[in-house]
PDB file of all heavy atoms in Angstrom:
ATOM      1  N   SER A  30     302.732 232.448 143.981  1.00  0.00           N
ATOM      2  CA  SER A  30     303.429 231.511 144.858  1.00  0.00           C
ATOM      3  C   SER A  30     304.925 231.551 144.578  1.00  0.00           C
ATOM      4  O   SER A  30     305.357 231.293 143.447  1.00  0.00           O
ATOM      5  CB  SER A  30     302.897 230.092 144.653  1.00  0.00           C
ATOM      6  OG  SER A  30     303.723 229.142 145.283  1.00  0.00           O
ATOM      7  N   ALA A  31     305.710 231.865 145.612  1.00  0.00           N
ATOM      8  CA  ALA A  31     307.160 231.900 145.443  1.00  0.00           C
ATOM      9  C   ALA A  31     307.712 230.504 145.177  1.00  0.00           C
ATOM     10  O   ALA A  31     308.638 230.330 144.376  1.00  0.00           O
ATOM     11  CB  ALA A  31     307.810 232.500 146.685  1.00  0.00           C
ATOM     12  N   ARG A  32     307.150 229.507 145.833  1.00  0.00           N
ATOM     13  CA  ARG A  32     307.632 228.134 145.631  1.00  0.00           C
ATOM     14  C   ARG A  32     307.378 227.670 144.206  1.00  0.00           C
ATOM     15  O   ARG A  32     308.262 227.103 143.562  1.00  0.00           O
ATOM     16  CB  ARG A  32     306.945 227.198 146.626  1.00  0.00           C
ATOM     17  CG  ARG A  32     307.350 225.746 146.490  1.00  0.00           C
ATOM     18  CD  ARG A  32     306.732 224.892 147.574  1.00  0.00           C
ATOM     19  NE  ARG A  32     307.193 225.315 148.904  1.00  0.00           N
ATOM     20  CZ  ARG A  32     306.825 224.723 150.028  1.00  0.00           C
ATOM     21  NH1 ARG A  32     305.975 223.697 150.002  1.00  0.00           N
ATOM     22  NH2 ARG A  32     307.284 225.157 151.190  1.00  0.00           N
ATOM     23  N   SER A  33     306.174 227.914 143.712  1.00  0.00           N
ATOM     24  CA  SER A  33     305.874 227.529 142.322  1.00  0.00           C
ATOM     25  C   SER A  33     306.729 228.321 141.342  1.00  0.00           C
ATOM     26  O   SER A  33     307.167 227.788 140.322  1.00  0.00           O
ATOM     27  CB  SER A  33     304.388 227.758 142.023  1.00  0.00           C
ATOM     28  OG  SER A  33     303.574 226.935 142.829  1.00  0.00           O
ATOM     29  N   GLY A  34     306.976 229.597 141.660  1.00  0.00           N
ATOM     30  CA  GLY A  34     307.821 230.410 140.792  1.00  0.00           C
ATOM     31  C   GLY A  34     309.244 229.885 140.720  1.00  0.00           C
ATOM     32  O   GLY A  34     309.866 229.874 139.650  1.00  0.00           O
ATOM     33  N   PHE A  35     309.780 229.442 141.857  1.00  0.00           N
ATOM     34  CA  PHE A  35     311.137 228.890 141.874  1.00  0.00           C
ATOM     35  C   PHE A  35     311.203 227.596 141.068  1.00  0.00           C
ATOM     36  O   PHE A  35     312.132 227.392 140.273  1.00  0.00           O
ATOM     37  CB  PHE A  35     311.558 228.627 143.319  1.00  0.00           C
ATOM     38  CG  PHE A  35     312.900 227.951 143.452  1.00  0.00           C
ATOM     39  CD1 PHE A  35     314.075 228.651 143.199  1.00  0.00           C
ATOM     40  CD2 PHE A  35     312.974 226.614 143.811  1.00  0.00           C
ATOM     41  CE1 PHE A  35     315.313 228.017 143.308  1.00  0.00           C
ATOM     42  CE2 PHE A  35     314.201 225.981 143.922  1.00  0.00           C
ATOM     43  CZ  PHE A  35     315.380 226.681 143.672  1.00  0.00           C
ATOM     44  N   LYS A  36     310.216 226.729 141.230  1.00  0.00           N
ATOM     45  CA  LYS A  36     310.203 225.477 140.468  1.00  0.00           C
ATOM     46  C   LYS A  36     310.022 225.746 138.973  1.00  0.00           C
ATOM     47  O   LYS A  36     310.624 225.064 138.137  1.00  0.00           O
ATOM     48  CB  LYS A  36     309.089 224.569 140.994  1.00  0.00           C
ATOM     49  CG  LYS A  36     309.375 224.028 142.395  1.00  0.00           C
ATOM     50  CD  LYS A  36     308.348 222.996 142.828  1.00  0.00           C
ATOM     51  CE  LYS A  36     307.012 223.615 143.141  1.00  0.00           C
ATOM     52  NZ  LYS A  36     306.077 222.630 143.749  1.00  0.00           N
ATOM     53  N   ALA A  37     309.201 226.743 138.639  1.00  0.00           N
ATOM     54  CA  ALA A  37     309.031 227.099 137.227  1.00  0.00           C
ATOM     55  C   ALA A  37     310.329 227.605 136.627  1.00  0.00           C
ATOM     56  O   ALA A  37     310.659 227.302 135.466  1.00  0.00           O
ATOM     57  CB  ALA A  37     307.934 228.156 137.084  1.00  0.00           C
ATOM     58  N   ALA A  38     311.102 228.381 137.401  1.00  0.00           N
ATOM     59  CA  ALA A  38     312.392 228.874 136.921  1.00  0.00           C
ATOM     60  C   ALA A  38     313.342 227.705 136.623  1.00  0.00           C
ATOM     61  O   ALA A  38     314.065 227.718 135.620  1.00  0.00           O
ATOM     62  CB  ALA A  38     313.014 229.818 137.942  1.00  0.00           C
ATOM     63  N   LEU A  39     313.329 226.681 137.486  1.00  0.00           N
ATOM     64  CA  LEU A  39     314.165 225.501 137.250  1.00  0.00           C
ATOM     65  C   LEU A  39     313.750 224.790 135.960  1.00  0.00           C
ATOM     66  O   LEU A  39     314.601 224.382 135.156  1.00  0.00           O
ATOM     67  CB  LEU A  39     314.063 224.545 138.434  1.00  0.00           C
ATOM     68  CG  LEU A  39     314.666 225.005 139.768  1.00  0.00           C
ATOM     69  CD1 LEU A  39     314.454 223.940 140.838  1.00  0.00           C
ATOM     70  CD2 LEU A  39     316.155 225.299 139.598  1.00  0.00           C
ATOM     71  N   VAL A  40     312.447 224.630 135.774  1.00  0.00           N
ATOM     72  CA  VAL A  40     311.952 223.972 134.560  1.00  0.00           C
ATOM     73  C   VAL A  40     312.356 224.751 133.322  1.00  0.00           C
ATOM     74  O   VAL A  40     312.838 224.181 132.319  1.00  0.00           O
ATOM     75  CB  VAL A  40     310.421 223.818 134.621  1.00  0.00           C
ATOM     76  CG1 VAL A  40     309.864 223.374 133.264  1.00  0.00           C
ATOM     77  CG2 VAL A  40     310.035 222.820 135.702  1.00  0.00           C
ATOM     78  N   ASN A  41     312.188 226.060 133.371  1.00  0.00           N
ATOM     79  CA  ASN A  41     312.471 226.885 132.203  1.00  0.00           C
ATOM     80  C   ASN A  41     313.961 226.942 131.880  1.00  0.00           C
ATOM     81  O   ASN A  41     314.356 226.837 130.710  1.00  0.00           O
ATOM     82  CB  ASN A  41     311.933 228.303 132.431  1.00  0.00           C
ATOM     83  CG  ASN A  41     310.415 228.343 132.424  1.00  0.00           C
ATOM     84  OD1 ASN A  41     309.761 227.662 131.642  1.00  0.00           O
ATOM     85  ND2 ASN A  41     309.838 229.138 133.308  1.00  0.00           N
ATOM     86  N   VAL A  42     314.798 227.114 132.885  1.00  0.00           N
ATOM     87  CA  VAL A  42     316.232 227.209 132.615  1.00  0.00           C
ATOM     88  C   VAL A  42     316.765 225.874 132.115  1.00  0.00           C
ATOM     89  O   VAL A  42     317.638 225.826 131.226  1.00  0.00           O
ATOM     90  CB  VAL A  42     316.991 227.696 133.880  1.00  0.00           C
ATOM     91  CG1 VAL A  42     317.098 226.603 134.931  1.00  0.00           C
ATOM     92  CG2 VAL A  42     318.381 228.189 133.506  1.00  0.00           C
ATOM     93  N   ALA A  43     316.252 224.754 132.652  1.00  0.00           N
ATOM     94  CA  ALA A  43     316.680 223.446 132.175  1.00  0.00           C
ATOM     95  C   ALA A  43     316.200 223.186 130.746  1.00  0.00           C
ATOM     96  O   ALA A  43     316.935 222.643 129.911  1.00  0.00           O
ATOM     97  CB  ALA A  43     316.166 222.357 133.110  1.00  0.00           C
ATOM     98  N   SER A  44     314.952 223.581 130.453  1.00  0.00           N
ATOM     99  CA  SER A  44     314.409 223.379 129.103  1.00  0.00           C
ATOM    100  C   SER A  44     315.228 224.129 128.064  1.00  0.00           C
ATOM    101  O   SER A  44     315.628 223.563 127.030  1.00  0.00           O
ATOM    102  CB  SER A  44     312.952 223.843 129.051  1.00  0.00           C
ATOM    103  OG  SER A  44     312.133 223.087 129.917  1.00  0.00           O
ATOM    104  N   LEU A  45     315.497 225.407 128.326  1.00  0.00           N
ATOM    105  CA  LEU A  45     316.232 226.219 127.361  1.00  0.00           C
ATOM    106  C   LEU A  45     317.685 225.778 127.272  1.00  0.00           C
ATOM    107  O   LEU A  45     318.287 225.806 126.190  1.00  0.00           O
ATOM    108  CB  LEU A  45     316.132 227.695 127.757  1.00  0.00           C
ATOM    109  CG  LEU A  45     314.716 228.279 127.759  1.00  0.00           C
ATOM    110  CD1 LEU A  45     314.708 229.662 128.368  1.00  0.00           C
ATOM    111  CD2 LEU A  45     314.160 228.319 126.342  1.00  0.00           C
ATOM    112  N   GLY A  46     318.266 225.353 128.393  1.00  0.00           N
ATOM    113  CA  GLY A  46     319.654 224.913 128.370  1.00  0.00           C
ATOM    114  C   GLY A  46     319.861 223.654 127.558  1.00  0.00           C
ATOM    115  O   GLY A  46     320.911 223.484 126.922  1.00  0.00           O
ATOM    116  N   CYS A  47     318.852 222.768 127.558  1.00  0.00           N
ATOM    117  CA  CYS A  47     319.008 221.527 126.789  1.00  0.00           C
ATOM    118  C   CYS A  47     318.480 221.659 125.367  1.00  0.00           C
ATOM    119  O   CYS A  47     318.425 220.669 124.641  1.00  0.00           O
ATOM    120  CB  CYS A  47     318.344 220.360 127.511  1.00  0.00           C
ATOM    121  SG  CYS A  47     316.552 220.395 127.535  1.00  0.00           S
ATOM    122  N   GLY A  48     318.076 222.868 124.968  1.00  0.00           N
ATOM    123  CA  GLY A  48     317.793 223.097 123.556  1.00  0.00           C
ATOM    124  C   GLY A  48     316.364 223.370 123.167  1.00  0.00           C
ATOM    125  O   GLY A  48     316.069 223.474 121.968  1.00  0.00           O
ATOM    126  N   ALA A  49     315.432 223.501 124.121  1.00  0.00           N
ATOM    127  CA  ALA A  49     314.042 223.797 123.763  1.00  0.00           C
ATOM    128  C   ALA A  49     313.983 225.038 122.883  1.00  0.00           C
ATOM    129  O   ALA A  49     314.592 226.057 123.188  1.00  0.00           O
ATOM    130  CB  ALA A  49     313.202 224.009 125.023  1.00  0.00           C
ATOM    131  N   SER A  50     313.225 224.956 121.807  1.00  0.00           N
ATOM    132  CA  SER A  50     313.190 226.031 120.813  1.00  0.00           C
ATOM    133  C   SER A  50     312.206 227.121 121.232  1.00  0.00           C
ATOM    134  O   SER A  50     311.263 227.453 120.514  1.00  0.00           O
ATOM    135  CB  SER A  50     312.805 225.460 119.446  1.00  0.00           C
ATOM    136  OG  SER A  50     313.087 226.377 118.410  1.00  0.00           O
ATOM    137  N   LEU A  51     312.455 227.684 122.420  1.00  0.00           N
ATOM    138  CA  LEU A  51     311.591 228.705 122.991  1.00  0.00           C
ATOM    139  C   LEU A  51     312.446 229.868 123.485  1.00  0.00           C
ATOM    140  O   LEU A  51     313.627 229.950 123.166  1.00  0.00           O
ATOM    141  CB  LEU A  51     310.742 228.106 124.124  1.00  0.00           C
ATOM    142  CG  LEU A  51     309.753 227.012 123.689  1.00  0.00           C
ATOM    143  CD1 LEU A  51     309.096 226.362 124.887  1.00  0.00           C
ATOM    144  CD2 LEU A  51     308.693 227.573 122.747  1.00  0.00           C
ATOM    145  N   GLY A  52     311.852 230.774 124.284  1.00  0.00           N
ATOM    146  CA  GLY A  52     312.555 231.992 124.667  1.00  0.00           C
ATOM    147  C   GLY A  52     312.798 232.102 126.149  1.00  0.00           C
ATOM    148  O   GLY A  52     312.123 231.454 126.960  1.00  0.00           O
ATOM    149  N   ARG A  53     313.743 232.944 126.534  1.00  0.00           N
ATOM    150  CA  ARG A  53     314.095 233.120 127.942  1.00  0.00           C
ATOM    151  C   ARG A  53     313.429 234.339 128.573  1.00  0.00           C
ATOM    152  O   ARG A  53     313.428 234.470 129.801  1.00  0.00           O
ATOM    153  CB  ARG A  53     315.610 233.223 128.092  1.00  0.00           C
ATOM    154  CG  ARG A  53     316.214 234.524 127.585  1.00  0.00           C
ATOM    155  CD  ARG A  53     317.732 234.483 127.609  1.00  0.00           C
ATOM    156  NE  ARG A  53     318.317 235.749 127.165  1.00  0.00           N
ATOM    157  CZ  ARG A  53     319.541 235.858 126.662  1.00  0.00           C
ATOM    158  NH1 ARG A  53     320.303 234.786 126.542  1.00  0.00           N
ATOM    159  NH2 ARG A  53     320.003 237.043 126.288  1.00  0.00           N
ATOM    160  N   GLU A  54     312.890 235.250 127.789  1.00  0.00           N
ATOM    161  CA  GLU A  54     312.335 236.477 128.362  1.00  0.00           C
ATOM    162  C   GLU A  54     311.074 236.210 129.170  1.00  0.00           C
ATOM    163  O   GLU A  54     310.901 236.761 130.257  1.00  0.00           O
ATOM    164  CB  GLU A  54     312.039 237.491 127.249  1.00  0.00           C
ATOM    165  CG  GLU A  54     313.261 238.008 126.528  1.00  0.00           C
ATOM    166  CD  GLU A  54     313.772 237.034 125.492  1.00  0.00           C
ATOM    167  OE1 GLU A  54     313.015 236.120 125.104  1.00  0.00           O
ATOM    168  OE2 GLU A  54     314.942 237.161 125.068  1.00  0.00           O
ATOM    169  N   GLY A  55     310.165 235.365 128.655  1.00  0.00           N
ATOM    170  CA  GLY A  55     308.944 235.038 129.382  1.00  0.00           C
ATOM    171  C   GLY A  55     309.224 234.432 130.751  1.00  0.00           C
ATOM    172  O   GLY A  55     308.643 234.852 131.753  1.00  0.00           O
ATOM    173  N   PRO A  56     310.111 233.419 130.834  1.00  0.00           N
ATOM    174  CA  PRO A  56     310.460 232.883 132.152  1.00  0.00           C
ATOM    175  C   PRO A  56     311.066 233.921 133.091  1.00  0.00           C
ATOM    176  O   PRO A  56     310.797 233.901 134.295  1.00  0.00           O
ATOM    177  CB  PRO A  56     311.479 231.786 131.817  1.00  0.00           C
ATOM    178  CG  PRO A  56     311.118 231.343 130.446  1.00  0.00           C
ATOM    179  CD  PRO A  56     310.644 232.582 129.749  1.00  0.00           C
ATOM    180  N   VAL A  57     311.896 234.820 132.556  1.00  0.00           N
ATOM    181  CA  VAL A  57     312.477 235.859 133.399  1.00  0.00           C
ATOM    182  C   VAL A  57     311.390 236.812 133.891  1.00  0.00           C
ATOM    183  O   VAL A  57     311.414 237.269 135.046  1.00  0.00           O
ATOM    184  CB  VAL A  57     313.589 236.617 132.644  1.00  0.00           C
ATOM    185  CG1 VAL A  57     314.103 237.791 133.471  1.00  0.00           C
ATOM    186  CG2 VAL A  57     314.745 235.686 132.307  1.00  0.00           C
ATOM    187  N   VAL A  58     310.411 237.112 133.035  1.00  0.00           N
ATOM    188  CA  VAL A  58     309.280 237.951 133.443  1.00  0.00           C
ATOM    189  C   VAL A  58     308.509 237.284 134.582  1.00  0.00           C
ATOM    190  O   VAL A  58     308.149 237.926 135.573  1.00  0.00           O
ATOM    191  CB  VAL A  58     308.354 238.234 132.242  1.00  0.00           C
ATOM    192  CG1 VAL A  58     307.012 238.787 132.718  1.00  0.00           C
ATOM    193  CG2 VAL A  58     309.014 239.214 131.291  1.00  0.00           C
ATOM    194  N   HIS A  59     308.237 235.991 134.439  1.00  0.00           N
ATOM    195  CA  HIS A  59     307.521 235.272 135.504  1.00  0.00           C
ATOM    196  C   HIS A  59     308.332 235.280 136.790  1.00  0.00           C
ATOM    197  O   HIS A  59     307.781 235.478 137.885  1.00  0.00           O
ATOM    198  CB  HIS A  59     307.237 233.835 135.064  1.00  0.00           C
ATOM    199  CG  HIS A  59     306.421 233.057 136.049  1.00  0.00           C
ATOM    200  ND1 HIS A  59     306.973 232.363 137.104  1.00  0.00           N
ATOM    201  CD2 HIS A  59     305.072 232.899 136.159  1.00  0.00           C
ATOM    202  CE1 HIS A  59     306.017 231.790 137.804  1.00  0.00           C
ATOM    203  NE2 HIS A  59     304.852 232.098 137.257  1.00  0.00           N
ATOM    204  N   MET A  60     309.614 235.088 136.672  1.00  0.00           N
ATOM    205  CA  MET A  60     310.483 235.101 137.842  1.00  0.00           C
ATOM    206  C   MET A  60     310.499 236.485 138.488  1.00  0.00           C
ATOM    207  O   MET A  60     310.441 236.615 139.720  1.00  0.00           O
ATOM    208  CB  MET A  60     311.903 234.691 137.435  1.00  0.00           C
ATOM    209  CG  MET A  60     312.886 234.552 138.575  1.00  0.00           C
ATOM    210  SD  MET A  60     314.457 233.886 137.979  1.00  0.00           S
ATOM    211  CE  MET A  60     314.914 235.154 136.783  1.00  0.00           C
ATOM    212  N   GLY A  61     310.544 237.532 137.673  1.00  0.00           N
ATOM    213  CA  GLY A  61     310.520 238.888 138.205  1.00  0.00           C
ATOM    214  C   GLY A  61     309.225 239.198 138.924  1.00  0.00           C
ATOM    215  O   GLY A  61     309.223 239.805 140.007  1.00  0.00           O
ATOM    216  N   ALA A  62     308.104 238.794 138.343  1.00  0.00           N
ATOM    217  CA  ALA A  62     306.815 239.015 138.991  1.00  0.00           C
ATOM    218  C   ALA A  62     306.726 238.240 140.302  1.00  0.00           C
ATOM    219  O   ALA A  62     306.154 238.725 141.291  1.00  0.00           O
ATOM    220  CB  ALA A  62     305.691 238.592 138.053  1.00  0.00           C
ATOM    221  N   THR A  63     307.299 237.048 140.318  1.00  0.00           N
ATOM    222  CA  THR A  63     307.292 236.246 141.545  1.00  0.00           C
ATOM    223  C   THR A  63     308.067 236.934 142.657  1.00  0.00           C
ATOM    224  O   THR A  63     307.653 236.930 143.823  1.00  0.00           O
ATOM    225  CB  THR A  63     307.897 234.857 141.265  1.00  0.00           C
ATOM    226  OG1 THR A  63     307.130 234.196 140.252  1.00  0.00           O
ATOM    227  CG2 THR A  63     307.889 234.003 142.523  1.00  0.00           C
ATOM    228  N   ILE A  64     309.194 237.543 142.311  1.00  0.00           N
ATOM    229  CA  ILE A  64     309.995 238.253 143.315  1.00  0.00           C
ATOM    230  C   ILE A  64     309.219 239.445 143.873  1.00  0.00           C
ATOM    231  O   ILE A  64     309.204 239.690 145.079  1.00  0.00           O
ATOM    232  CB  ILE A  64     311.332 238.701 142.701  1.00  0.00           C
ATOM    233  CG1 ILE A  64     312.205 237.473 142.418  1.00  0.00           C
ATOM    234  CG2 ILE A  64     312.068 239.673 143.626  1.00  0.00           C
ATOM    235  CD1 ILE A  64     313.477 237.787 141.666  1.00  0.00           C
ATOM    236  N   GLY A  65     308.561 240.201 142.992  1.00  0.00           N
ATOM    237  CA  GLY A  65     307.746 241.321 143.460  1.00  0.00           C
ATOM    238  C   GLY A  65     306.623 240.858 144.364  1.00  0.00           C
ATOM    239  O   GLY A  65     306.341 241.480 145.399  1.00  0.00           O
ATOM    240  N   SER A  66     305.977 239.749 144.018  1.00  0.00           N
ATOM    241  CA  SER A  66     304.895 239.213 144.835  1.00  0.00           C
ATOM    242  C   SER A  66     305.428 238.686 146.169  1.00  0.00           C
ATOM    243  O   SER A  66     304.772 238.837 147.207  1.00  0.00           O
ATOM    244  CB  SER A  66     304.189 238.093 144.077  1.00  0.00           C
ATOM    245  OG  SER A  66     303.163 237.520 144.843  1.00  0.00           O
ATOM    246  N   TRP A  67     306.604 238.075 146.138  1.00  0.00           N
ATOM    247  CA  TRP A  67     307.204 237.566 147.381  1.00  0.00           C
ATOM    248  C   TRP A  67     307.463 238.698 148.369  1.00  0.00           C
ATOM    249  O   TRP A  67     307.152 238.578 149.561  1.00  0.00           O
ATOM    250  CB  TRP A  67     308.504 236.841 147.049  1.00  0.00           C
ATOM    251  CG  TRP A  67     309.347 236.547 148.254  1.00  0.00           C
ATOM    252  CD1 TRP A  67     309.177 235.533 149.150  1.00  0.00           C
ATOM    253  CD2 TRP A  67     310.474 237.306 148.711  1.00  0.00           C
ATOM    254  NE1 TRP A  67     310.139 235.604 150.129  1.00  0.00           N
ATOM    255  CE2 TRP A  67     310.952 236.677 149.896  1.00  0.00           C
ATOM    256  CE3 TRP A  67     311.138 238.435 148.238  1.00  0.00           C
ATOM    257  CZ2 TRP A  67     312.049 237.162 150.586  1.00  0.00           C
ATOM    258  CZ3 TRP A  67     312.234 238.913 148.932  1.00  0.00           C
ATOM    259  CH2 TRP A  67     312.676 238.281 150.095  1.00  0.00           C
ATOM    260  N   LEU A  68     308.018 239.810 147.898  1.00  0.00           N
ATOM    261  CA  LEU A  68     308.271 240.943 148.784  1.00  0.00           C
ATOM    262  C   LEU A  68     306.956 241.504 149.324  1.00  0.00           C
ATOM    263  O   LEU A  68     306.875 241.925 150.488  1.00  0.00           O
ATOM    264  CB  LEU A  68     309.048 242.024 148.040  1.00  0.00           C
ATOM    265  CG  LEU A  68     309.528 243.212 148.883  1.00  0.00           C
ATOM    266  CD1 LEU A  68     310.466 242.738 149.983  1.00  0.00           C
ATOM    267  CD2 LEU A  68     310.223 244.243 148.005  1.00  0.00           C
ATOM    268  N   THR A  69     305.937 241.498 148.508  1.00  0.00           N
ATOM    269  CA  THR A  69     304.610 241.948 148.948  1.00  0.00           C
ATOM    270  C   THR A  69     304.113 241.112 150.123  1.00  0.00           C
ATOM    271  O   THR A  69     303.592 241.641 151.103  1.00  0.00           O
ATOM    272  CB  THR A  69     303.613 241.838 147.780  1.00  0.00           C
ATOM    273  OG1 THR A  69     303.974 242.765 146.766  1.00  0.00           O
ATOM    274  CG2 THR A  69     302.200 242.132 148.247  1.00  0.00           C
ATOM    275  N   ARG A  70     304.274 239.800 149.993  1.00  0.00           N
ATOM    276  CA  ARG A  70     303.791 238.916 151.054  1.00  0.00           C
ATOM    277  C   ARG A  70     304.632 239.051 152.324  1.00  0.00           C
ATOM    278  O   ARG A  70     304.097 239.026 153.434  1.00  0.00           O
ATOM    279  CB  ARG A  70     303.812 237.470 150.560  1.00  0.00           C
ATOM    280  CG  ARG A  70     303.176 236.489 151.531  1.00  0.00           C
ATOM    281  CD  ARG A  70     302.978 235.117 150.923  1.00  0.00           C
ATOM    282  NE  ARG A  70     304.224 234.538 150.460  1.00  0.00           N
ATOM    283  CZ  ARG A  70     304.597 234.472 149.188  1.00  0.00           C
ATOM    284  NH1 ARG A  70     303.800 234.968 148.243  1.00  0.00           N
ATOM    285  NH2 ARG A  70     305.732 233.924 148.840  1.00  0.00           N
ATOM    286  N   VAL A  71     305.929 239.200 152.177  1.00  0.00           N
ATOM    287  CA  VAL A  71     306.806 239.334 153.338  1.00  0.00           C
ATOM    288  C   VAL A  71     306.456 240.577 154.148  1.00  0.00           C
ATOM    289  O   VAL A  71     306.448 240.562 155.386  1.00  0.00           O
ATOM    290  CB  VAL A  71     308.283 239.374 152.896  1.00  0.00           C
ATOM    291  CG1 VAL A  71     309.195 239.790 154.050  1.00  0.00           C
ATOM    292  CG2 VAL A  71     308.713 238.011 152.366  1.00  0.00           C
ATOM    293  N   LEU A  72     306.142 241.670 153.456  1.00  0.00           N
ATOM    294  CA  LEU A  72     305.843 242.933 154.124  1.00  0.00           C
ATOM    295  C   LEU A  72     304.352 243.144 154.373  1.00  0.00           C
ATOM    296  O   LEU A  72     303.961 244.186 154.887  1.00  0.00           O
ATOM    297  CB  LEU A  72     306.388 244.105 153.298  1.00  0.00           C
ATOM    298  CG  LEU A  72     307.907 244.101 153.064  1.00  0.00           C
ATOM    299  CD1 LEU A  72     308.310 245.273 152.189  1.00  0.00           C
ATOM    300  CD2 LEU A  72     308.654 244.137 154.384  1.00  0.00           C
ATOM    301  N   HIS A  73     303.519 242.164 153.981  1.00  0.00           N
ATOM    302  CA  HIS A  73     302.070 242.240 154.208  1.00  0.00           C
ATOM    303  C   HIS A  73     301.481 243.510 153.582  1.00  0.00           C
ATOM    304  O   HIS A  73     300.718 244.242 154.232  1.00  0.00           O
ATOM    305  CB  HIS A  73     301.751 242.190 155.704  1.00  0.00           C
ATOM    306  CG  HIS A  73     302.289 240.969 156.396  1.00  0.00           C
ATOM    307  ND1 HIS A  73     301.732 239.725 156.238  1.00  0.00           N
ATOM    308  CD2 HIS A  73     303.351 240.808 157.232  1.00  0.00           C
ATOM    309  CE1 HIS A  73     302.405 238.840 156.957  1.00  0.00           C
ATOM    310  NE2 HIS A  73     303.403 239.471 157.564  1.00  0.00           N
TER     311      HIS A  73
END
């Protein structure tokens, strides 16, 4: 879901920006996969 992926990106960037002791690579991976899936759906 592109919508869920966008909301997840907001949650992750806000969490890490305010100091959550976690990593940024996993959220970027999820965001990247969401973009690939979005293009798949657009082009059927």
